[in-house]
Amino acid sequence: MTVAAKKVFVVEDETDLLDLYIEILELEGHEVLCSARNGEDAVESFRNMQERPDVILMDHRMPIKNGLEAAKEILSIDPGAKVIFASADQSVEEDAKNIGAVRFMKKPFDIASLLDSIESI
């Protein structure tokens, strides 16, 4: 079964992890439209995008503005945005889902789970 390529926006403050996500997604045929390293940049980047992503991979613990705050603002701009939350802090899972995240992935997770989550949206 062939999976349709997704356009992805990756928000992650850890450079190595950000680079890994981008590399894996592109190797799997997805297009990374944009990336951001903090919540404030994520909101600004999303607001200014000419083309909206199919899915946003959002970290929680980030400088300036955390993932919950950023996701809430992004969803106020576009209530149809699909946010997958990725965090080691499982205590924010309920909050993430309450603001509209379509999925919560507890770090660390395996690559297959990440790809399944993105491809299922």
Side-chain angles (χ1 to χ4, degrees):
M1 175 177 122
T2 304
V3 176
K6 303 286 185 186
K7 293 177 171 73
V8 185
F9 177 25
V10 181
V11 184
E12 171 63 57
D13 66 319
E14 292 183 40
T15 304
D16 290 344
L17 201 46
L18 176 66
D19 292 344
L20 180 65
Y21 289 154
I22 292 170
E23 185 175 343
I24 289 166
L25 291 168
E26 289 178 345
L27 281 171
E28 290 296 317
H30 301 295
E31 178 184 354
V32 177
L33 290 179
C34 188
S35 65
R37 296 193 53 212
N38 67 64
E40 189 171 286
D41 286 348
V43 173
E44 267 316 297
S45 294
F46 188 82
R47 184 176 281 122
N48 294 319
M49 284 182 177
Q50 297 295 320
E51 181 179 15
R52 296 281 193 231
D54 296 311
V55 64
I56 301 165
L57 182 60
M58 178 74 70
D59 185 25
H60 172 58
R61 290 187 191 137
M62 296 182 290
I64 305 173
K65 187 176 288 184
N66 70 39
L68 286 172
E69 295 165 331
K72 193 172 186 175
E73 285 187 51
I74 286 170
L75 288 162
S76 74
I77 295 166
D78 180 359
K82 306 287 187 234
V83 179
I84 296 175
F85 236 81
S87 179
D89 186 356
Q90 194 157 4
S91 70
V92 299
E93 180 174 3
E94 190 173 325
D95 291 336
K97 288 181 177 175
N98 286 341
I99 63 167
V102 295
R103 188 154 295 140
F104 184 93
M105 298 186 65
K106 184 174 182 323
K107 290 179 180 176
F109 47 79
D110 60 56
I111 298 306
S113 296
L114 173 63
L115 294 171
D116 286 347
S117 291
I118 289 172
E119 292 165 1
S120 70
I121 290 178

